[in-house]
Amino acid sequence: MSIKRKNLNLLLLTISVLMGWLAACLYRRPPVILDPMLTAADEITAIAPDTAVIVPKPESATKTTQLPEKDTIPAINTTEKEMPVQQLATSTFDDIEPRNITADHPFRLEAAKLLSGRLEETDSVSRHKILSYCEHLRTSYTTRDIDFIRQVFSNNALIIVGHMVKTSDRPAEVIGNNSKVIYHLRSKREYLAKLSRIFDSGKPIDVSFSDFRIMRHPTMEGIYGVTLRQKYSCGSYSDDGYLFLLWDFRNMSMPLIHVRTWQPSMSENPDDDDIIGIGDFNLE
């Protein structure tokens, strides 16, 4: 019995040593469960360091956009309270097809430039978007789409609103000396508040464009000036004048209007110098 007990003890000792050795090996082995903080970028970089990987940022991260130093357009203050709940996507309306624009369409001359193939690719894309956005801007007044108008005007937009009057009496804050037209400098908030009241009135609105021209800024990429003649009527009120829009297409998915001015049409064939254009604004 003593020999058997001795052999059993040796067997148990051998098993204990083997299990201790196995435990030591398992302890030194890398863990099988991946660390949840390890990102996909770390794994892919280890395999292929020349592959770019975009890792989503936490939802709490704040996204800021800085304008080029040479650009003196007012900084855009985009707080959550001021911005719309959902960013407008260009897919919400169809782009204009230049080939389908008829000879009597106000965009015909600009469409011909697109079809000529002589424009740079980025310039051609921007001009195409301008045609689409300007047409949607026109229809947004007739359809009372205040959300689209709120979206395309920058928070610090310069808005000069002209209004035809039948009396020569002018308020003290009026800009200009014309006895038939008064001009008001409006903030975006004031302009939208007045526009909302007009939309809520239920009066029929009609807006038509003509003499449409696009001017590209000579040094600032993505900045364009649009000059057009606009005939507007709402109920018993109507006016006829030249509209200027300063468009910013540096962010193609979020075009903005920084300047909107209106002046009356005092003659059928005014000189170019008499019409407000991109050359009247010092942007640098």
Side-chain angles (χ1 to χ4, degrees):
M1 292 294 294
S2 60
I3 296 176
K4 291 183 179 181
R5 183 179 296 276
K6 184 177 181 179
N7 292 336
L8 179 61
N9 290 338
L10 289 175
L11 178 61
L12 292 176
L13 179 62
T14 302
I15 294 174
S16 300
V17 172
L18 291 174
M19 292 184 66
W21 175 81
L22 180 61
C25 292
L26 292 175
Y27 178 79
R28 295 180 181 180
R29 182 180 178 181
V32 177
I33 300 176
L34 296 179
D35 186 352
M37 297 302 294
L38 182 64
T39 63
D42 297 330
E43 297 175 347
I44 298 178
T45 302
I47 299 173
D50 60 340
T51 302
V53 179
I54 300 176
V55 181
K57 295 183 179 180
E59 295 181 358
S60 59
T62 302
K63 182 179 179 181
T64 58
T65 302
Q66 294 182 349
L67 301 180
E69 294 182 359
K70 67 177 182 177
D71 184 1
T72 58
I73 292 177
I76 303 172
N77 181 16
T78 55
T79 62
E80 294 182 359
K81 183 177 181 180
E82 293 174 328
M83 288 296 293
V85 176
Q86 182 177 4
Q87 176 176 325
L88 178 71
T90 55
S91 59
T92 56
F93 61 91
D94 296 331
D95 285 341
I96 286 181
E97 176 53 56
R99 297 184 183 277
N100 296 336
I101 292 179
T102 59
D104 58 346
H105 197 283
F107 296 165
R108 65 187 185 283
L109 295 179
E110 296 298 334
K113 295 179 183 179
L114 296 177
L115 297 175
S116 68
R118 299 176 182 178
L119 300 175
E120 299 175 2
E121 182 178 358
T122 55
D123 186 28
S124 178
V125 172
S126 296
R127 289 174 181 268
H128 191 184
K129 286 295 181 184
I130 287 175
L131 295 182
S132 301
Y133 268 81
C134 283
E135 174 60 17
H136 198 69
L137 180 64
R138 182 189 69 81
T139 58
S140 65
Y141 287 88
T142 58
T143 60
R144 293 168 167 78
D145 188 357
I146 193 70
D147 290 334
F148 177 82
I149 300 174
R150 180 184 295 108
Q151 183 77 60
V152 295
F153 277 99
S154 67
N155 288 342
N156 298 322
L158 173 65
I159 302 175
I160 299 178
V161 181
H163 189 79
M164 301 293 292
V165 294
K166 298 180 180 180
T167 175
S168 59
D169 296 335
R170 301 188 304 277
E173 71 274 13
V174 165
I175 305 173
N177 298 318
N178 193 299
S179 60
K180 295 182 180 180
V181 183
I182 59 175
Y183 297 92
H184 294 276
L185 182 61
R186 302 293 191 193
S187 67
K188 175 182 177 180
R189 186 184 300 274
E190 293 171 336
Y191 178 70
L192 291 177
K194 178 66 178 295
L195 200 58
S196 295
R197 290 194 293 270
I198 294 175
F199 287 175
D200 293 341
S201 68
K203 297 178 181 179
I205 300 174
D206 183 67
V207 179
S208 62
F209 289 165
S210 61
D211 299 342
F212 189 92
R213 291 184 298 172
I214 301 175
M215 294 295 294
R216 180 184 181 184
H217 194 279
T219 59
M220 299 179 65
E221 189 71 23
I223 303 298
Y224 291 81
V226 173
T227 303
L228 59 95
R229 187 168 181 172
Q230 174 186 270
K231 290 185 178 181
Y232 170 88
S233 66
C234 178
S236 60
Y237 173 82
S238 64
D239 60 40
D240 181 5
Y242 285 92
L243 196 66
F244 171 75
L245 303 171
L246 183 65
W247 282 94
D248 183 352
F249 274 82
R250 288 171 296 180
N251 182 353
M252 192 66 69
S253 64
M254 186 68 177
L256 292 173
I257 297 174
H258 291 297
V259 178
R260 178 198 184 275
T261 67
W262 180 90
Q263 61 186 125
S265 176
M266 306 307 294
S267 63
E268 289 298 325
N269 298 304
D271 296 333
D272 290 340
D273 294 338
D274 296 332
I275 301 176
I276 297 175
I278 195 170
D280 296 309
F281 297 89
N282 183 13
L283 305 177
E284 295 181 331

